[in-house]
């Protein structure tokens, strides 16, 4: 149980950090104030969730997991290229929606991969999934 719990918390930690980083990569490019506010609120929720995940990891004397440098690099490269070609809010919403969908898919896979994780780890992962799903829906008006 402990092994699955720590592994799931690590993946949740990595995912929430990736979410914060992705929002930070685009928030200064967003033109619409309501869209910028939406991203700022979501970033704050990600940061609160990150703190909870890291607190749980500390209980297991684990330092967590940084997002893959390859994944981060590819995300930054794609964001940079796409916004260089078209820096519209529609492009940013499209990029962020893709990121949310990838996060939901990955985190759902990890929930299935670590079925013996404790309820708290599963709950935190579920909250992150719902946060990503909600952001993807909330960005639809900007697509």
């Amino acid at each position: 149980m402990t092994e699955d719990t720590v592994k799931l918390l690590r993946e949740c930690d990595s995912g929430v950090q990736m979410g914060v980083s992705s929002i930070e990569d685009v928030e200064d490019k967003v033109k619409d104030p309501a869209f910028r506010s939406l991203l700022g609120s979501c970033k704050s929720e990600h940061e609160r969730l990150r703190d909870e995940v890291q607190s749980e990891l500390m209980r297991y004397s684990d330092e967590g997991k940084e997002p893959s440098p390859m994944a981060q690099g590819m995300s930054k490269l794609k964001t940079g290229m796409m916004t260089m070609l078209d820096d519209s809010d529609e492009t940013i919403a499209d990029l962020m929606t893709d990121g949310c969908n990838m996060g939901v898919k990955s985190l759902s896979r990890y929930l299935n991969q670590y079925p013996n994780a404790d309820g708290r780890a599963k709950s935190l992962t579920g909250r992150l999934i719902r946060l990503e799903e909600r952001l993807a829906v909330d960005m639809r008006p900007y697509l």
Side-chain angles (χ1 to χ4, degrees):
M1 182 174 187
T2 300
E3 186 176 336
D4 275 8
T5 298
V6 171
K7 287 180 178 178
L8 183 57
L9 286 169
R10 284 178 187 157
E11 296 303 339
C12 192
D13 186 38
S14 176
V16 77
Q17 289 181 61
M18 190 75 178
V20 170
S21 176
S22 295
I23 292 169
E24 289 175 347
D25 287 345
V26 300
E27 67 185 339
D28 63 329
K29 295 173 174 62
V30 173
K31 294 162 189 67
D32 184 282
F35 187 15
R36 192 176 312 112
S37 176
L38 170 68
L39 290 176
S41 294
C42 190
K43 179 179 152 188
S44 294
E45 289 182 58
H46 273 77
E47 290 169 336
R48 279 192 295 278
L49 193 54
R50 179 191 60 204
D51 293 345
E52 288 183 57
V53 169
Q54 289 176 349
S55 176
E56 283 298 302
L57 282 163
M58 285 176 53
R59 287 183 48 220
Y60 294 96
S61 300
D62 194 276
E63 295 180 8
K65 178 181 175 184
E66 294 289 323
S68 153
M70 178 68 88
Q72 274 192 314
M74 293 299 288
S75 174
K76 287 183 184 301
L77 181 64
K78 182 178 180 181
T79 299
M81 293 296 290
M82 296 291 289
T83 56
M84 190 177 359
L85 296 171
D86 177 5
D87 68 346
S88 67
D89 285 355
E90 292 84 6
T91 297
I92 293 168
D94 186 49
L95 288 165
M96 292 299 296
T97 299
D98 286 349
C100 288
N101 292 334
M102 286 191 304
V104 167
K105 182 178 169 182
S106 295
L107 290 164
S108 296
R109 183 180 306 120
Y110 291 125
L111 270 175
N112 294 330
Q113 190 174 341
Y114 303 119
N116 295 321
D118 72 15
R120 180 79 174 135
K122 289 179 179 179
S123 174
L124 288 166
T125 305
R127 286 173 50 202
L128 181 54
I129 289 170
R130 287 187 299 280
L131 181 58
E132 295 291 317
E133 288 172 332
R134 189 176 76 231
L135 180 58
V137 169
D138 290 347
M139 283 190 293
R140 289 180 186 165
Y142 303 101
L143 292 172

